[in-house]
Amino acid sequence: MGAAALNLALAAAAATGVQVGAAIVASRFVVGEVPPLTLAMLRYAIGFLCLLPFAWPALRRLPARPPARDLWAMAALGTGQFGILIALLNWGLQTVPAAPAALIFSLFPLLTLLLGAALGREQVTPQLLAGVLLSIAGVAVSLLSKLQALHAGAWWGELAVLASACVGAVCSVLYRPYLRRYPTVPVSAFAMLASVLFLAVIALHEDWPARTRSLSPTAWGVVAFVGLSSGIGYFWWLYALKHETPTRVTVFLALNPVTATLLAWPLLGEVPAPRTLAALALIALGLALATRSPSGTRQARSR
């Protein structure tokens, strides 16, 4: 792959890291008015509509229709990446402030690394283990107040955010074969459509048809921003995954807690505590250690 394509892939990954942090803050802003499943469904319905005008021409240029097994696999991955992941994240944001949620979600790259190592696609090195331990320490620091107040039901929000990161790690590793076979935009649009259909069904208990009719203009504005940015952001995400290894892509999600912390302060009034800044530094150092290639070694990108 040429240097220009490589740089574009890494730039797309970095832009996605910023977009995720901004979307977490925006979702936190509106999640009190829009239930989590309804918010996830609206987010990707708007994202799908943004991608559709570009996906249809690319789909028509395919020499043959993808086999059913590939379509089912991409639908399942889309439901996981765009449906289950975001629903879990939105559930967590009901009780977890934006910056700590972004810190927990920043374990995404390390979970991807560990999964890659378990599948034989990543080499486990001392610096990788050190990075994992530093990042876990950073998350522990960010949750210090919860560790000091072990009351019943205190952890469901944090566990939901962590579970969303786990889902994302699995999907990121498993997406790559399909992204190498098919154009990025149709894969993005098809995956989003599958997630919207899934979410439209499971969100019925939130009475989303009535909810959408009663949303305030401010809520619709925030939902539109999250949907539009998600459509663009996940195209960037899948483009990066197509041209780079999952580890080198997901590492840029380290930018999301930085973005969320900086935006949550003026927009949500969530002043970062000193421990949050310390946790941010630990996680950034852990990610740097865990994802730096050993000297003279480079991961194969063809896997």
Side-chain angles (χ1 to χ4, degrees), residues 170-203:
V170 171
C171 291
S172 295
V173 172
L174 298 182
Y175 252 127
R176 189 166 173 80
Y178 304 102
L179 292 169
R180 293 178 70 85
R181 283 178 218 163
Y182 308 112
T184 305
V185 176
V187 172
S188 304
F190 181 74
M192 282 191 183
L193 177 60
S195 72
V196 169
L197 297 176
F198 169 77
L199 288 165
V201 173
I202 66 171

Side-chain angles (χ1 to χ4, degrees), residues 20-49:
V20 169
I24 284 176
V25 173
S27 297
R28 172 71 176 167
F29 183 84
V30 79
V31 78
E33 184 174 349
V34 188
L37 295 175
T38 301
L39 178 57
M41 183 200 67
L42 293 174
R43 174 178 186 165
Y44 289 113
I46 294 171
F48 169 73
L49 292 175

Side-chain angles (χ1 to χ4, degrees), residues 46 48 95 98 112-113 127 159 177 187 213 220 245 271 288 295 300:
I46 294 171
F48 169 73
T95 59
T112 305
L113 277 168
Q127 72 181 32
L159 291 175
V187 172
R213 291 194 296 270
W220 269 117
T245 61
V271 180
S295 180

